[in-house]
Structure formats: C-alpha cells, structure tokens
Amino acid sequence: MKLPILALLGAAIFLQTGCVTGRRSLSLPVPTHAASSATRGQVYIASVTDNRQFQNKPSDPSVPSIDGDVTKLSTQEKDRMIGRQRNTWGKAMGDIGLKDNDSVTKRVRLLVEEGLRRKGYGISVDPKAPVAAAVTVDEFWGWGTPGFWALTFEAKIQCTISVISAGGAQKSIVKGYGINHGQVAKDANWQEAFDPAFEDFITNFGARWDAMVAGSSDVNGALLPRLAGKQ
C-alpha cells in the first residue's frame, strides 16, 4: 500500500514544481475599461519612482529578493523584478521579471492612468496642468506558497500618491491585492494573481482620488510647480 501513496506524493511534487530555476519573464497587461470623456480635467503625472526594498534571503516570501546578491542589482534590473519562484518545500529559486523593455514603474504608471480615465480625467503631458501627481512604488511583488495538492499565488501592490491641486498638497497610500490557486507554477497562474491585484488597485485608487483633489475641477490655471518638471 505504500507504493501508491509514494506515487501520489511524487505526482503532487512534480505537478507543483514546474520550472523554478532560471528567470521567468511575464507580460502583465493592465486592464482597460471604456471610460467617459475627460470632463473632470487634466492630470500631469510628474514621476513614478521605484522605492521597493529588496533583501538577501528573506524568511518572508512576500519580501522582494533575487537569485543572487541584491547589492549588485542595478536600478534598471530592480525595476523589472516582480517575484521569486519557489520549489515544493518553499525554498527560493529563480527570479520572475517583466519582459525586456518593460518595468514596474511603467506598469504602475499605466495603472494610475487607467484609474484616472475611469474617474473622467485626461492624462496631460503639460507640467502646468491643473493637477499634478507623483507616484512612489512601495510594493509590487508576487510570491507562491506550496501546499500539499496546490500552490497559492499572491500579488500585492502599494503606492504612495502625492498630488498638488487647487486644494493644496495631498498624499495617500493606495493598495492592491490578488490571490490565485493552481497546481503548476506556470505563467498563467502568476498572471491570475496579478490580474485581481491590478483591478483592486485601480478600484482603491478611484476611491482615494476624489479626496486628494477636492475642489480641483474648477481650476484652469497652473498649479504650484513642486511636482512639475520631474520625469
């Protein structure tokens, strides 16, 4: 009777492991919905900055890390990293990154732009637009937790949004979270953890935005230039 049990255990391990070495590259499309015309004004996104803190061999898989020494990670390389692969026993293995020519800051900019469009704003390239925003990426990470029969895939996003509008300077933290369960560590299962995290972030962004720009819709002139000019 032991042989069938061992066979089942072996099958479970095989299904969960998948390819966990090397680097897995993902495309993470930002969801878009039909948005109303930009009737509430224009917003200039002055900057999006990656402020995530990476660690070497963290015990918590939700803490960013790489397969190597984080002190040797360039700014550009860091901006592409979005997760770590783990084997059946939870040991960190290969990296998960975005495709070439993509980055976390690009993904976050697109998320913020989509959130603004859904609120009825247009995206301006003019630093003198009535509303200016700067975004700091505090968290943007995916990780997997092994189980007996399935893997749990999770993704989290947290950004600090700084806004200057007619109402003055405001700052708010916006978060997003997603979770997915699957038996194999394949691209689609990682994608299906980030998809709900993206939607959650956009929804939470919309809920916070009006409070940050209260009174700005009636402004037609230039605002304080503290955020302007930062690319």
Side-chain angles (χ1 to χ4, degrees), residues 143-145 151-156 176-182 189-198 200:
W143 69 98
T145 303
L151 291 164
T152 298
F153 301 86
E154 298 176 81
K156 63 178 178 180
Y177 173 76
I179 188 169
N180 177 44
H181 301 284
N189 279 325
W190 289 104
Q191 176 80 52
E192 290 171 13
F194 276 100
D195 284 348
F198 281 6
D200 190 40

Side-chain angles (χ1 to χ4, degrees), residues 11-217:
I13 291 172
F14 175 78
L15 286 172
Q16 289 187 31
T17 301
C19 179
V20 295
T21 59
R23 175 166 297 175
R24 183 188 298 269
S25 295
L26 300 181
S27 296
L28 296 179
V30 170
T32 57
H33 291 177
S36 58
S37 58
T39 58
R40 301 186 66 184
Q42 298 288 314
V43 178
Y44 172 67
I45 301 176
S47 63
V48 181
T49 306
D50 184 1
N51 195 41
R52 296 175 298 161
Q53 302 300 309
F54 283 63
Q55 295 181 15
N56 281 328
K57 300 180 179 180
S59 58
D60 184 347
S62 69
V63 174
S65 65
I66 63 166
D67 185 10
D69 186 354
V70 298
T71 63
K72 298 179 180 179
L73 193 65
S74 71
T75 301
Q76 292 75 19
E77 290 173 327
K78 173 191 171 187
D79 204 7
R80 284 187 58 206
M81 294 296 99
I82 60 170
R84 286 294 298 280
Q85 303 178 81
R86 292 178 178 268
N87 64 18
T88 307
W89 295 272
K91 178 178 174 58
M93 302 292 285
D95 298 319
I96 302 175
L98 292 167
K99 298 285 188 180
D100 292 341
N101 300 318
D102 200 358
S103 66
V104 166
T105 49
K106 287 181 181 178
R107 292 296 96 191
V108 169
R109 179 179 286 272
L110 290 173
L111 286 169
V112 171
E113 289 178 354
E114 177 64 15
L116 289 168
R117 291 190 186 97
R118 293 188 192 183
K119 297 296 292 183
Y121 290 88
I123 311 303
S124 176
V125 296
D126 183 2
K128 297 181 180 180
V131 182
V135 183
T136 300
V137 183
D138 305 312
E139 295 180 332
F140 190 113
W141 198 248
W143 69 98
T145 303
F148 186 74
W149 291 113
L151 291 164
T152 298
F153 301 86
E154 298 176 81
K156 63 178 178 180
I157 305 167
Q158 178 177 309
C159 295
T160 301
I161 315 293
S162 301
V163 176
I164 294 179
S165 68
Q170 300 288 336
K171 183 180 291 187
S172 185
I173 293 175
V174 179
K175 299 180 179 182
Y177 173 76
I179 188 169
N180 177 44
H181 301 284
Q183 292 185 328
V184 181
K186 59 183 180 179
D187 291 1
N189 279 325
W190 289 104
Q191 176 80 52
E192 290 171 13
F194 276 100
D195 284 348
F198 281 6
E199 279 290 355
D200 190 40
F201 180 89
I202 293 170
T203 298
N204 293 334
F205 175 87
R208 296 298 307 149
W209 181 256
D210 285 341
M212 288 190 286
V213 293
S216 65
S217 58

